[in-house]
Amino acid sequence: APQTWLAAMLCIAGVAMLELMGGGGSDVVSSAAPSSWAIDGGGMLSLLAGLGFGTGCYMSENMMRDQPKEQALPITSVLVATTAAVSALWSLADGWMMEPNGWSYTLPGLFADPSLSMVAAAILWTGLISTSLNFFLEVKALGTIPSAEASVILAAEPLAAAALGSIMLHEHLAVCDYIGGALIITACLVNTLKPEDISSRIDFLSATKIAKR
């Protein structure tokens, strides 16, 4: 649909403004701080994550299309199990578990140490709310709306992260952050339009341009 393509392009531009040209969250960054389009290793990983996320949405939609009620929980279980397995392999490859007392930061030692209670609470929140519940709601939604529309709506995630960072962590937002946020919000609004709405507006603009001549 044309509105989905337009919304997707607006989302890409908005996320690029937030991720590549934003102020970086430093408390010494001003709204006039210079920005760069350079992509470092973290940026490349973020791009790969976005590609994987979009592919996952498409595949989940295909699986949810026929049996939306029965497939949500099994798909969520596979997603969570895969995330856990990859995270475990990453932790082992990183090497920190092999350091002295490294295993004390794993389960169940993490919950037995009172000095790590905040870390344990953060892990519980991340595992149960940010990951499991989040995956379940996303998969459930894909049973009722197309993956293209869902991806545009979910692209507001970096906007929410920037807003929470500014409110709770007092991070400074640059001008590009506000522009990127506006583009993402516009994309979500454009995504609600119907093809005939866009066609009628194009016809109106064309008629107006001809009339001015």
Side-chain angles (χ1 to χ4, degrees):
Q3 76 275 12
T4 302
W5 283 104
L6 177 58
M9 289 186 289
L10 289 171
C11 270
I12 292 173
V15 173
M17 296 289 285
L18 282 173
E19 297 292 337
L20 302 181
M21 297 190 67
S26 172
D27 56 1
V28 297
V29 175
S30 66
S31 60
S35 300
S36 171
W37 287 98
I39 301 179
D40 55 9
M44 289 301 299
L45 289 175
S46 298
L47 290 175
L48 291 175
L51 179 61
F53 178 78
T55 304
C57 282
Y58 174 75
M59 296 177 64
S60 298
E61 180 195 1
N62 288 338
M63 289 185 285
M64 290 286 293
R65 186 173 297 163
D66 299 328
Q67 298 174 323
K69 293 183 179 180
E70 292 80 5
Q71 294 291 339
L73 193 56
I75 293 174
T76 303
S77 301
V78 173
L79 289 172
V80 173
T82 303
T83 302
V86 173
S87 299
L89 292 175
W90 186 285
S91 298
L92 289 172
D94 189 61
W96 64 268
M97 285 186 175
M98 305 306 171
E99 296 180 358
N101 299 324
W103 286 97
S104 63
Y105 295 97
T106 62
L107 301 179
L110 184 65
F111 295 100
D113 190 345
S115 63
L116 298 176
S117 58
M118 290 297 294
V119 178
I123 290 177
L124 281 176
W125 177 273
T126 302
L128 298 178
I129 307 300
S130 300
T131 303
S132 302
L133 181 60
N134 184 45
F135 280 159
F136 178 76
L137 293 177
E138 288 177 7
V139 172
K140 196 74 173 176
L142 288 172
T144 57
I145 61 175
S147 58
E149 295 183 11
S151 297
V152 171
I153 297 172
L154 294 172
E157 180 180 343
L159 175 61
L164 289 174
S166 176
I167 295 172
M168 302 183 66
L169 302 179
H170 307 291
E171 294 180 349
H172 291 272
L173 299 179
V175 174
C176 291
D177 294 318
Y178 291 104
I179 296 175
L183 288 172
I184 293 176
I185 293 175
T186 303
C188 294
L189 295 176
V190 168
N191 198 41
T192 62
L193 296 176
K194 298 179 180 179
E196 53 268 24
D197 294 331
I198 296 180
S199 300
S200 62
R201 282 165 174 76
I202 293 176
D203 294 339
F204 174 77
L205 293 175
S206 300
T208 304
K209 190 174 182 179
I210 294 174
K212 288 183 178 180
R213 293 178 180 176

